[in-house]
Amino acid sequence: MILPDLGVVNVRVSDNLTEVLEMLEQEPRTWADRIRAEERAEVRAEMRAEMQRSLVAMLLRQARLRFGGGLAMRLANRLEGITDTERLQDIGEWLLVCESGDALLARLRRA
């Protein structure tokens, strides 16, 4: 079983179990709040990652429709390491304004 980091430090195996239990009972609300905060942070991180994957998938579909499958494959390689949502949104705008797939890739190289 994996236990969350609750901020308990310097607890030795030889410590009296009663002392540890008393310490945990002193602030049960704090412990529960910490666990909930950790869970919320994990959920937010998962949601950001899913949003990014969806945005990349949408950009690739748009590139495929506008410039063809070959360009979409080349673009996929370039988008792989981009995690900044604003930059991905910029690329979406470039898909609309660039005259060709080569112009889009050139703009990506410059940015």
Side-chain angles (χ1 to χ4, degrees):
M1 178 166 87
I2 298 174
L3 298 175
D5 177 14
L6 300 175
V8 178
V9 292
N10 297 329
V11 176
R12 296 182 311 267
V13 175
S14 63
D15 284 342
N16 185 336
L17 182 58
T18 305
E19 291 176 21
V20 173
L21 291 173
E22 287 173 3
M23 179 192 63
L24 290 173
E25 289 172 355
Q26 287 175 0
E27 299 182 50
R29 187 106 172 118
T30 302
W31 300 112
D33 290 342
R34 286 184 187 176
I35 291 170
R36 279 193 292 276
E38 287 177 12
E39 289 171 349
R40 283 191 304 270
E42 288 175 12
V43 168
R44 282 192 301 271
E46 290 171 10
M47 289 175 67
R48 276 192 302 273
E50 181 59 34
M51 181 180 69
Q52 179 186 348
R53 285 189 296 271
S54 295
L55 184 53
V56 167
M58 181 188 67
L59 291 173
L60 294 175
R61 281 194 309 271
Q62 291 174 339
R64 188 175 302 108
L65 286 170
R66 177 119 197 258
F67 301 119
L71 181 279
M73 288 175 52
R74 291 166 53 198
L75 182 61
N77 292 332
R78 301 259 161 85
L79 296 180
E80 195 172 285
I82 299 175
T83 58
D84 180 18
T85 303
E86 283 187 42
R87 180 166 163 116
L88 291 170
Q89 291 171 345
D90 289 342
I91 294 167
E93 291 175 7
W94 301 342
L95 270 164
L96 297 174
V97 299
C98 288
E99 298 286 327
S100 68
D102 289 334
L104 174 66
L105 293 176
R107 189 155 188 181
L108 270 169
R109 281 190 293 274
R110 287 192 308 265

